[in-house]
Amino acid sequence: MLDLLIIGAGLAGLTAALRAVEAGLRVKIIAKGMGSLYWATGAIDVLGYLGGEERAVASPWERLAELDAGHPYRTLGDTRVRGAIDWFQQHIEPSGLGYRSADAHNLLTPSPAGAWRPTYLAPAGQRAGAATDDRPMVIVGFQGVRDFFPHLITRNLSAQGQVVRAALLPWSVLSEQRDRNNAQLAECVDDVHTQQRLVDALKLVVKPGERIGLPAILGRHAHAQALAHLQQGLKTDVFEIPTLPPSAPGIRLATALRQALEQRGVRVEIGMEAIGFHAEDGVIQWVETETSARPLKHRAHAFLLATGGVLGGGFNSTPAGRFWEVIFDLPLTVPQDRRQWFRPLFLDARGQPAFHGGVAVNAALQPVDATGDAIYANLWAAGSLLAHADPILERSLEGVAIASGVAAAEAVKTKSTAAVATMER
């Protein structure tokens, strides 16, 4: 029987699985879909904004103590959070994606709208776009590419003091097929001939001393090679600007983590929607998933819930005011009066209660009831479904996922070791 069944294939679930199998546990992941990484920037945000402040956080580690007492970072403590981020950076290194921080500070890189976006660990393909670099930029788009507007990006960056200009290249540089989304275009750029066409076209655009910003399409499976080819051919730095989904940098990160798990014998089963469970005396016996015939039961000694919050499908609601967790019906800190879910201002600096609420947990990341007692002895939770955080507003989504995923896996290992020791006595 499995030691740990993880429900959810986002960053929290994949990270937890990697840490758990490293600790010697037998692990499997089941998930309804591919996970939110396919929609993400591919960068690792730890803490970008705090308390409605307009200015981005300079160093996350200097501000964690200012978060609410129940925030997952406060629950885990600075040392464990930082240790988890360091562990992640070490374990993603073999992928060749090149994640780095800026001396423990946030790095500001361009968003698809031309804002400066704070992130902590940026992949190699995005770091040359840093605001601290005083070289001019040329933002290059392609006629017909979806959701990437170089003149908009240029106008907004210029308004913030960046020396920048825009340029457009024909679609034919990338593909002969007209209907391609950005993930599909990234696969086109895996081809060395497409890379060379891109180099040749960019040579006609770039001016001496400029760095080149492109939509995030520089390879899906051969990104490091594509980036190196362009930079060597152009004799300047090239950087990607994340686009709207599907996100090639997010897909690269998800692929790297899944390959690392497959190499360690961990199965990631997609299309497994959990629809029920069975517990006896406060211990979960199995979780079942829907199939075309009859529900399939998945048994394990421990279970980790990493299905995401309301935006990830881990929570649901009704117009009548009910807000619930969809698998174990865990109690949520979200108000059950629907009039309290949202504040009058859509862009309220304090965020929205519907996104700030979630599953309350103890120090071991086990879901708890109103009295603080663990609801199930063998259930843990991680990721954006945790209460007392608004990861999208805070720009802490990936940091919370990694820190809680690592911590939950370690807690499962600790309890498993204690149980074995008790049996041996």
Side-chain angles (χ1 to χ4, degrees):
M1 189 163 66
L2 290 172
D3 293 313
L4 176 62
L5 178 71
I6 297 174
I7 309 169
L11 184 56
L14 295 174
T15 300
L18 189 56
R19 181 67 188 97
V21 73
E22 179 185 61
L25 300 180
R26 293 163 296 178
V27 185
K28 183 173 76 172
I29 296 176
I30 60 172
K32 178 181 179 180
M34 299 297 290
S36 61
L37 279 175
Y38 281 63
W39 304 83
T41 65
I44 304 301
D45 299 345
V46 172
L47 182 65
Y49 292 97
L50 187 63
E53 297 177 1
E54 291 188 9
R55 185 180 296 274
V57 169
S59 174
W61 312 117
E62 296 174 359
R63 306 295 300 275
L64 296 190
E66 300 176 44
L67 293 164
D68 293 344
H71 194 284
Y73 285 161
R74 296 288 303 278
T75 299
L76 296 173
D78 293 13
T79 301
R80 294 175 72 189
V81 174
R82 192 159 190 169
I85 300 299
D86 291 343
W87 173 91
F88 172 85
Q89 186 176 4
Q90 174 188 349
H91 283 72
I92 202 62
E93 185 67 23
S95 70
L97 296 176
Y99 281 87
R100 298 287 185 277
S101 66
D103 297 324
H105 285 72
N106 278 331
L107 192 70
L108 297 177
T109 57
S111 78
W116 289 115
R117 184 184 183 282
T119 193
Y120 185 69
L121 291 180
Q126 298 178 27
R127 288 204 305 275
T132 51
D133 191 330
D134 59 4
R135 290 177 296 170
M137 296 177 176
V138 55
I139 307 300
V140 181
F142 300 86
Q143 295 171 353
V145 167
R146 303 172 189 172
D147 303 319
F148 188 83
F149 307 102
H151 292 87
L152 170 66
I153 296 170
T154 297
R155 184 165 63 248
N156 289 336
L157 287 177
S158 180
Q160 298 170 85
Q162 175 64 46
V163 178
V164 60
R165 64 186 181 89
L168 275 175
L169 291 176
W171 174 279
S172 58
V173 173
L174 300 175
S175 175
E176 296 179 355
Q177 297 173 299
R178 298 301 304 174
D179 188 16
R180 304 275 90 183
N181 63 32
N182 291 336
Q184 293 166 330
L185 288 174
E187 291 184 340
C188 294
V189 181
D190 282 333
D191 181 74
V192 293
H193 300 293
T194 304
Q195 294 168 20
Q196 190 56 49
R197 285 201 308 272
L198 188 51
V199 168
D200 294 340
L202 288 170
K203 282 182 178 179
L204 303 176
V205 169
V206 65
K207 296 179 180 179
E210 288 182 326
R211 45 189 167 141
I212 304 172
L214 295 167
I217 57 172
L218 299 184
R220 177 169 175 176
H221 305 289
H223 169 63
Q225 187 271 335
L227 183 64
H229 189 152
L230 265 65
Q231 294 187 146
Q232 291 167 8
L234 295 163
K235 302 297 189 292
T236 189
D237 285 329
V238 176
F239 64 93
E240 293 185 311
I241 299 176
T243 63
L244 294 181
S247 164
I251 294 171
R252 292 176 203 138
L253 177 54
T255 300
L257 290 170
R258 290 184 63 175
Q259 288 177 344
L261 290 171
E262 290 170 3
Q263 291 169 3
R264 291 165 172 82
V266 177
R267 293 170 60 187
V268 181
E269 298 184 354
I270 305 300
M272 293 278 188
E273 181 178 4
I275 57 172
F277 73 103
H278 176 69
E280 295 179 6
D281 299 323
V283 177
I284 297 171
Q285 303 298 314
W286 44 258
V287 167
E288 62 181 6
T289 56
E290 192 171 31
T291 70
S292 58
R294 62 179 182 274
L296 176 64
K297 291 181 173 60
H298 305 264
R299 301 179 184 274
H301 294 296
F303 298 83
L304 173 60
L305 185 65
T307 51
V310 61
L311 296 179
F315 303 157
N316 205 345
S317 63
T318 67
R322 185 177 176 225
F323 214 114
W324 73 98
E325 186 274 314
V326 300
I327 299 175
F328 300 102
D329 198 19
L330 299 173
L332 302 179
T333 62
V334 181
Q336 291 300 310
D337 182 348
R338 67 187 302 267
R339 293 171 296 182
Q340 299 178 28
W341 290 353
F342 300 102
R343 296 188 170 98
L345 292 178
F346 178 69
L347 296 178
D348 194 296
R350 297 168 295 173
Q352 303 296 347
F355 300 140
H356 191 269
V359 176
V361 295
N362 58 22
L365 295 182
Q366 291 190 279
V368 296
D369 58 22
T371 65
D373 294 328
I375 298 172
Y376 297 106
N378 61 339
L379 177 64
W380 286 260
S384 58
L385 56 74
L386 297 177
H388 309 301
D390 191 339
I392 294 178
L393 180 70
E394 300 165 354
R395 293 291 189 267
S396 65
L397 186 68
E398 292 82 12
V400 168
I402 292 169
S404 59
V406 168
E410 291 174 347
V412 172
K413 174 60 177 177
T414 298
K415 189 158 188 176
S416 174
T417 302
V420 170
T422 300
M423 291 175 62
E424 289 177 347
R425 294 196 197 103

